[in-house]
Amino acid sequence: MYYERSIEPVIRKMNDTFPVLIVTGPRQVGKTTLLTRLAGKDRKIVSLDNPTIRAAARSDPELFLQRYAPPVLIDEVQHAPELFDYIKVYVDREKRCGDFWLTGSQTFHMMKNVTESLAGRAGIVRMSGLSNDEIRGVHFSPFRVDIPELTQRGKDVPPMDIMEIFQRIFRGSLPRLYENEDVDQFQYYESYLETYISRDVRDLTQVGDEMSFFRFMSVAAARTATNVNYETLASEAGISAPTAKQWLSMLVSSGLVALIQPYANNVLKRVIKAPRMYFLDTGLCAHLTRWSSAEVLEQGAMSGAFFETWVVSEIYKSYLNAGKRPPLYFYRDSNKKEIDLIVYQDGILTPIEIKKSAAPKDALRNFSVLEQLKTEIGTGAVICMAADLLPADRKNWFVPAWLI
C-alpha cells in the first residue's frame, strides 16, 4: 500500500525551477519510493548503494553520466561526491530544469558538496517520515492556530482517542511499518539502527566504539522533549561533552532529531540559551528507550514527554511537507517560566502549550510573559486531549491533538 505524500507539489515545483532536485532525509522515509513514482518512463533510475555502480561513479564520473544521461534519478548520491563537479558542468551547459534528481540520507556530507558545486543550481527538499495526516489520507497546510481552518479540519478527519494516538506514537512514522502490518516492529527498528550505525555513522565520522554510539542514542532518546545539556548527555553515555555535542549534531544532520531554539529578542534578558531536542520518529525513540507496547508507554513515566514529542514532530513535519523551514521556538527563562512551543511568522508570535490531559489546568499561566514584547501576540493554543475545539479564554483555545 502506498501513502500519498504531502510534499509531492513541492517536489514538482522544484523540478520545474531548478536543473537539480535534491531530496534529503533519514533512511527509509520514502525518498526513493516517492521519486520513483514521480519519475515517469523516460527518467533513468540508478542507486549508488550498489557497490559496483558506486565504484563506476567514483572512478570515472564523466563516463558514468554518459551512461546514465539525464533525465536521471541518482539514489544515495553522497556515496560518490566525485559526481558533483561533473553535474555542475552538465547543468551549466544544458541549462534545463529537472535533469538531475538526487537523494541522500547523509545530509551533512552531501550538503557540503552541494554548497561547493551546485549553489544556485539545486532545489533542496527535506523529507521526513509519514505524518499523521498522510497516514489518514488527508493533506492540510502547515499548522497554525487558525480557528476556522481547525474547525474545518474537524469535519474532514475522525477524532482519535488517547490509545489511538499512543498506538501511532509507538508505531512511529516509517512507511514500511504501515505498508505491511505483518512487519515485526522490534526487528525492523533493530535492523534500522544497525544499518544507520554501521553505514551512515561510520561514513560520517570515525566512531571507534559503535556500542558507545548506540548507548548515546538511547540516552538522547530518554531525554527527548528536554533542553540539551551536553554535560549530562556525556555523563550518562560515558563519553566526553565535546563528543556528545558532535554525536548529537550527527543525529540532527541525519534528520533523526530536531533542535528547537529558544525564542529571544532584545527585551528578553533572562532567557536560557540551550535548545530543546525532539526525536522526529517516536517509534524509533520508543524502541531506543525499550517500551514494549503502546499501552505500557501511555501509562509510563515518559508518556507526557512522548506526547509532546509527537505533537512537536507533527507540527514540524507539516512545515517540511510544505517546503518551508519550521518557524518553531520555545520559551524558558531563569525563573523557570516556560512555553512549550512558539510559532513565529509574519511578525506574529503564537504561544502553544502541550498537555496530555483532556482538561488541563493552569496551562495558559505563562503566556503572559510574552506581553512585555513589542510584538503582536496571536491566538494561543493548548494542544491536548480535549474532545473538541473549545475556547479557553478570550484569546486562547483548547485544540484536540488529532487536529494538528
Side-chain angles (χ1 to χ4, degrees), residues 311-323:
V311 168
V312 172
S313 68
E314 288 297 315
I315 294 174
Y316 192 92
K317 285 186 282 190
S318 76
Y319 284 92
L320 290 187
N321 287 340

Side-chain angles (χ1 to χ4, degrees), residues 48 53-70 74 80-87 90 100:
L48 298 190
I53 295 175
R54 180 166 66 244
R58 301 195 68 167
S59 63
D60 196 337
E62 188 171 15
L63 182 61
F64 178 87
L65 292 181
Q66 291 180 26
R67 185 176 295 139
Y68 298 103
I74 304 176
E82 294 84 357
L83 286 173
F84 284 94
D85 285 338
Y86 290 88
I87 291 174
Y90 188 99
F100 291 91

Side-chain angles (χ1 to χ4, degrees), residues 198-272:
S198 66
R199 298 175 69 175
D200 291 349
V201 172
R202 187 178 292 163
D203 286 348
L204 280 169
T205 187
Q206 296 299 316
V207 176
D209 184 353
E210 293 180 2
M211 284 306 299
S212 291
F213 188 83
F214 174 79
R215 185 167 59 250
F216 169 78
M217 287 187 71
S218 299
V219 168
R223 298 182 66 81
T224 188
T226 67
N227 298 334
V228 175
N229 184 317
Y230 293 112
E231 295 290 344
T232 301
L233 284 171
S235 175
E236 293 179 0
I239 56 178
S240 68
T243 299
K245 187 172 185 178
Q246 179 194 17
W247 286 2
L248 184 61
S249 73
M250 288 167 54
L251 295 181
V252 172
S253 68
S254 299
L256 297 181
V257 169
L259 294 183
I260 305 298
Q261 299 297 327
Y263 180 79
N265 67 14
N266 293 332
V267 178
L268 300 172
K269 304 294 186 183
R270 298 163 65 88
V271 174
I272 66 165

Side-chain angles (χ1 to χ4, degrees), residues 274-290:
R276 182 167 290 181
M277 66 177 176
Y278 294 94
F279 267 70
L280 291 176
D281 187 273
T282 51
L284 176 62
C285 192
H287 181 81
L288 285 163
T289 46
R290 292 298 187 250

Side-chain angles (χ1 to χ4, degrees), residues 336-354:
K336 296 187 178 179
K337 290 187 176 181
E338 186 173 296
I339 300 172
D340 290 332
L341 203 62
I342 292 174
V343 180
Y344 179 54
Q345 57 180 347
D346 299 326
I348 300 174
L349 285 173
T350 300
I352 296 172
E353 274 293 302
I354 303 166

Side-chain angles (χ1 to χ4, degrees), residues 112-291:
K112 181 176 182 293
N113 288 302
V114 169
T115 302
E116 293 174 352
S117 301
L118 297 178
R121 302 167 179 85
I124 301 164
V125 176
R126 291 176 59 196
M127 192 168 170
S128 59
L130 289 169
S131 68
N132 194 41
D133 288 345
E134 289 171 326
I135 295 168
R136 296 186 291 184
V138 294
H139 305 281
F140 295 130
S141 58
F143 178 80
R144 299 180 302 151
V145 185
D146 182 311
I147 303 308
E149 182 179 316
L150 291 174
T151 301
Q152 183 59 49
R153 287 191 188 195
K155 299 175 182 178
D156 294 336
V157 294
M160 300 171 68
D161 62 28
I162 189 66
M163 282 318 305
E164 288 175 308
I165 286 179
F166 266 83
Q167 288 287 355
R168 190 79 84 227
I169 289 172
F170 184 73
R171 194 74 167 167
S173 63
L174 297 181
R176 177 67 174 163
L177 295 172
Y178 293 91
E179 293 165 356
N180 184 350
E181 294 189 358
D182 292 331
V183 172
D184 184 288
Q185 183 170 332
F186 178 84
Q187 293 299 332
Y188 181 82
Y189 277 119
E190 283 289 291
S191 176
Y192 184 92
L193 285 168
E194 183 178 345
T195 301
Y196 172 69
I197 292 175
S198 66
R199 298 175 69 175
D200 291 349
V201 172
R202 187 178 292 163
D203 286 348
L204 280 169
T205 187
Q206 296 299 316
V207 176
D209 184 353
E210 293 180 2
M211 284 306 299
S212 291
F213 188 83
F214 174 79
R215 185 167 59 250
F216 169 78
M217 287 187 71
S218 299
V219 168
R223 298 182 66 81
T224 188
T226 67
N227 298 334
V228 175
N229 184 317
Y230 293 112
E231 295 290 344
T232 301
L233 284 171
S235 175
E236 293 179 0
I239 56 178
S240 68
T243 299
K245 187 172 185 178
Q246 179 194 17
W247 286 2
L248 184 61
S249 73
M250 288 167 54
L251 295 181
V252 172
S253 68
S254 299
L256 297 181
V257 169
L259 294 183
I260 305 298
Q261 299 297 327
Y263 180 79
N265 67 14
N266 293 332
V267 178
L268 300 172
K269 304 294 186 183
R270 298 163 65 88
V271 174
I272 66 165
K273 297 181 180 180
R276 182 167 290 181
M277 66 177 176
Y278 294 94
F279 267 70
L280 291 176
D281 187 273
T282 51
L284 176 62
C285 192
H287 181 81
L288 285 163
T289 46
R290 292 298 187 250
W291 294 97

